[in-house]
Amino acid sequence: MIYDLIIIGGGPAGITAGIYGARQKLNTLLITKNFGGQVARKAVAIENYPGFEKISGMELIKRFEKHLRKQKIDIERDEVIKLRKINNRFLILTESKNKFEARAVIIASGADPRPLEVPGEKEFIGRGLSYCCVCNGPLFQDKIVAVIGGGNAGFETAIFLSKIVKKIYILEYGPEVKADVENQERVKKTGKVEIITNAQIKKIQGDQFVNSLIYEDRKTKKEVVLAVEGIFVEIGFQPSTSFAKDLVNFNEKDEIIVDFETFQTKTPGLFAAGDVNVGKFKQIVTATGEGAKVSLAAYDYLEKLKIKNEKSN
Ligand SMILES: Cc1cc2nc3c(=O)[nH]c(=O)nc-3n(C[C@H](O)[C@H](O)[C@H](O)COP(=O)(O)OP(=O)(O)OC[C@H]3O[C@@H](n4cnc5c(N)ncnc54)[C@H](O)[C@@H]3O)c2cc1C
């Protein structure tokens, strides 16, 4: 069977595109690794999504998913690993070795946490090292943990963890933290956080679970062993686009270049919306807005394709 539309991603952009696609009576499939994307990882409440003065990321995404599931749409929990276009049809291959076909595809795969890329990191994922405090934080009751990254994400992670753990080190690569003043004040109030600047992470260590990390003090050039039982990595995000690399152009940040009128990539029928594209402002409300626009643009594309095919028959 060939779908009219396949959407890759179950974050705000993909979910909205799914709702719009289904309501336009497109035969639609949404494939996603998980629901929520970056919103589900959010450590403190969301206060800038219209209609909700204050709502947790998990709660907002639950509502999004419930709304999506009310539509006539197929949903697959899987990871897209390859996307190709052959004779006007897109072919998708997933991690579970499933194959799907569609006339149009929307990439709404957002961004994944940026890894540290140091020895021990991969080895200890799920054994003390995490990229999501909302998902794993509760496992670290009364423990000493480190948060890598002194931006807003790192500080918000520390605020979230302060209700659970005994002590938190925030390690920042630069000479100063980058979190805004409000987050710095909130972290100070917890009384549980020690900030270490000029710290370059060198290694994650442990036996069954993480028991320490090694960082280099970039000022003194000395290596320091820090005893911690948990590590939360918050050093930013990178676009999740590797499966599409033959069909799209990227900018220097690996974001997909689109035409902002139609959200189409360089390949006709292939669209990209939300954090995955070159758009400058990356928010939930901009992702949902793009999710709506991209679905309407895909509908236009499919209508034109239908007329073209009818004429040629
Ligand atoms: C710490 C933090 C705090 C934030 N706070 C706010 C805030 O307060 N307010 C606000 O408006 N915005 C906030 N943002 C930004 C907001 O979360 C993002 O702009 C928004 O989530 C982008 O939505 P998206 O759908 O484009 O991508 P994402 O949310 O990244 O979703 C991408 C989806 O695609 C799926 N996916 C990825 N690759 C594949 C693949 N190969 N196959 C199948 N599925 C795949 C993922 O599983 C995920 O479901 C915050 C972001 C972070 C990181």
Side-chain angles (χ1 to χ4, degrees):
M1 124 142 162
I2 307 168
Y3 283 97
D4 293 326
L5 179 63
I6 292 182
I7 298 159
I8 304 168
I15 291 175
T16 312
I19 293 169
Y20 272 73
R23 287 174 62 81
Q24 287 157 124
K25 307 269 182 281
L26 295 176
N27 183 14
T28 306
L29 166 69
L30 184 143
I31 308 173
T32 189
K33 281 194 284 186
N34 61 45
F35 277 103
Q38 294 166 70
V39 181
R41 296 168 185 278
K42 178 119 171 88
V44 297
I46 293 156
E47 297 182 27
N48 57 3
Y49 192 73
F52 300 93
E53 283 165 34
K54 198 168 183 175
I55 185 164
S56 75
M58 284 293 192
E59 180 56 30
L60 183 64
I61 228 55
K62 252 195 240 160
R63 287 173 186 240
F64 279 14
E65 187 185 342
K66 191 172 167 210
H67 192 167
L68 176 75
R69 288 189 185 277
K70 288 250 159 80
Q71 316 303 317
K72 196 171 176 306
I73 186 169
D74 288 347
I75 295 170
E76 290 281 337
R77 287 289 290 267
D78 207 341
E79 179 174 354
V80 172
I81 55 168
K82 187 85 200 152
L83 172 64
R84 285 207 195 107
K85 190 177 185 188
I86 300 170
N87 299 334
N88 274 334
R89 280 185 196 175
F90 291 95
L91 306 179
I92 283 178
L93 179 68
T94 68
E95 180 68 26
S96 326
K97 308 233 177 315
N98 286 320
K99 287 180 187 158
F100 299 101
E101 285 185 35
R103 294 184 178 87
V105 169
I106 294 172
I107 302 173
S109 48
D112 287 328
R114 192 175 293 284
L116 288 165
E117 287 174 8
V118 298
E121 179 180 29
K122 281 196 186 134
E123 206 181 324
F124 286 105
I125 291 175
R127 296 198 288 131
L129 187 134
S130 167
Y131 303 90
C132 178
C133 67
V134 179
C135 323
N136 306 126
L139 304 173
F140 294 83
Q141 189 78 40
D142 297 323
K143 296 200 186 298
I144 299 175
V145 302
V147 174
I148 317 295
N152 279 323
F155 271 62
E156 288 181 8
T157 295
I159 294 161
F160 178 88
L161 291 172
S162 65
K163 294 174 198 107
I164 302 165
V165 306
K166 189 159 128 198
K167 180 179 168 90
I168 305 157
Y169 294 100
I170 294 181
L171 289 99
E172 160 62 36
Y173 180 84
E176 279 166 17
V177 297
K178 296 181 191 77
D180 59 35
V181 179
E182 196 186 312
N183 273 333
Q184 291 192 41
E185 278 167 7
R186 290 167 75 194
V187 155
K188 210 170 173 185
K189 264 196 207 151
T190 68
K192 287 189 176 178
V193 180
E194 184 177 331
I195 295 167
I196 303 172
T197 53
N198 284 310
Q200 180 171 8
I201 311 303
K202 290 286 184 184
K203 197 176 176 189
I204 312 296
Q205 307 188 122
D207 299 317
Q208 278 291 91
F209 293 93
V210 166
N211 61 24
S212 59
L213 63 80
I214 299 179
Y215 71 90
E216 183 189 282
D217 182 324
R218 294 170 60 236
K219 258 183 162 171
T220 62
K221 302 282 173 220
K222 278 194 184 141
E223 286 201 346
V224 181
V225 180
L226 193 66
V228 289
E229 291 165 284
I231 297 173
F232 291 84
V233 181
E234 288 293 346
I235 58 168
F237 283 77
Q238 58 192 15
S240 170
T241 52
S242 54
F243 57 85
K245 63 182 185 319
D246 301 334
L247 297 178
V248 300
N249 287 331
F250 297 104
N251 69 0
E252 69 293 345
K253 292 190 226 159
D254 274 346
E255 294 164 333
I256 298 175
I257 296 172
V258 292
D259 160 34
F260 273 106
E261 192 77 9
T262 60
F263 293 91
Q264 195 159 232
T265 65
K266 72 167 185 185
T267 302
L270 181 59
F271 302 81
D275 278 19
V276 81
N277 74 27
V278 290
K280 188 171 170 192
F281 303 108
K282 299 192 188 299
Q283 290 285 281
I284 302 165
V285 75
T286 54
T288 52
E290 287 190 11
K293 288 189 202 172
V294 77
S295 226
L296 295 169
Y299 178 81
D300 272 0
Y301 167 83
L302 288 165
E303 283 296 295
K304 283 178 193 149
L305 195 69
K306 218 187 317 174
I307 294 166
K308 208 168 126 190
N309 288 345
E310 279 165 7
K311 276 185 187 159
S312 64
N313 285 337

